[in-house]
Amino acid sequence: MPTPLFIAFEGGEGSGKSSQIARLAAQLRSEGHQVFATHEPGATSVGRAIRELVLESDERIAPRSEALLFAADRAHHVETELQPQLRSGAIVLCDRYVDSSIAYQGAGRTLSTSEVARLSEWATGGLRPDLTVLLDISPELGLARAEKRRGFDRLEREQHDFHDRVRQGFLRLAQAEPDRYLVLDATRSIDELAAEIAAEVRARLAA
């Protein structure tokens, strides 16, 4: 059975995570790997209901409630999708994971990041990515990109200082665990970023 690999993609709004996941998934499949690409929140039927509540509703949600809802989505996602795929030997590519909760609900909402991390640890049963790709971009540029693609969801409509705290939250996580992170400037070309990500993944697979 092939060795599984769990790769999370993180970053602020408009950082290009979806595009890079699609590029990497296609490249890995062309090389014969089993690949499962997914996202949070909302990859399952339960998750879609949670996503609609936390992102599409205009109703204010208390920060702790928001953190718990994202954790509920993640707990179900891990048990019903991620763990089975990893057990089958797949390379799992996930658009957002635990670090998004620490950055958005912890740093962004000014909750205790250690408490949010503990909640996520419990929700996931301790499942951690082997590699986290952080696509770093300023909130101004990222939100401008996101606005061109579609309308803003509830989190995207937050004030600039919220998004700046989120960005800094991601960067602090990367600084604390440099061996787990690949931090890339998301303003670089899509092709350059894709090539660097693929090279890093191949190196991990060969290790």
Side-chain angles (χ1 to χ4, degrees), residues 25-184:
Q27 181 64 43
L28 292 171
R29 286 173 180 140
S30 75
E31 296 171 1
H33 295 285
Q34 177 188 346
V35 179
F36 178 70
T38 186
H39 64 275
E40 292 186 354
T44 65
S45 57
V46 170
R48 284 190 288 276
I50 294 173
R51 181 186 180 91
E52 183 175 350
L53 178 61
V54 295
L55 294 182
E56 308 305 330
S57 171
D58 290 328
E59 183 175 350
R60 181 187 178 275
I61 300 175
R64 289 177 184 271
S65 296
E66 185 178 272
L68 288 165
L69 287 165
F70 278 112
D73 167 81
R74 184 165 298 124
H76 189 68
H77 189 213
V78 166
E79 182 169 338
T80 62
E81 301 283 351
L82 301 189
Q83 287 286 22
Q85 290 291 333
L86 290 168
R87 284 195 294 269
S88 76
I91 298 174
V92 171
L93 311 179
C94 191
D95 185 342
R96 299 204 180 283
Y97 191 58
V98 167
D99 291 348
S100 276
S101 284
I102 297 172
Y104 277 82
Q105 283 68 57
R109 296 295 190 206
T110 66
L111 296 175
S112 165
T113 54
S114 61
E115 289 182 357
V116 175
R118 284 197 297 273
L119 172 63
S120 294
E121 177 85 5
W122 180 79
T124 63
L127 178 64
R128 291 167 59 82
D130 300 294
L131 170 66
T132 298
V133 178
L134 174 58
L135 296 169
D136 179 50
I137 194 168
S138 70
E140 295 88 350
L141 181 54
L143 288 167
R145 284 182 178 182
E147 190 172 21
K148 289 178 182 178
R149 289 199 315 268
R150 49 181 165 66
F152 280 170
D153 64 32
R154 195 173 60 83
L155 287 181
E156 289 167 333
R157 289 194 297 270
E158 288 292 340
Q159 298 297 312
H160 176 273
D161 58 348
F162 170 86
H163 291 286
D164 191 57
R165 288 194 300 272
V166 169
R167 182 189 188 188
Q168 296 307 314
F170 277 128
L171 290 172
R172 283 194 297 272
L173 288 168
Q175 290 165 1
E177 291 189 81
D179 291 342
R180 178 166 67 88
Y181 269 87
L182 175 64
V183 182
L184 299 173

Side-chain angles (χ1 to χ4, degrees), residues 9 12-21 135 137 145 149 186:
F9 283 72
E13 310 304 332
S15 58
K17 299 184 304 331
S18 298
S19 296
Q20 291 303 327
I21 287 173
L135 296 169
I137 194 168
R145 284 182 178 182
R149 289 199 315 268

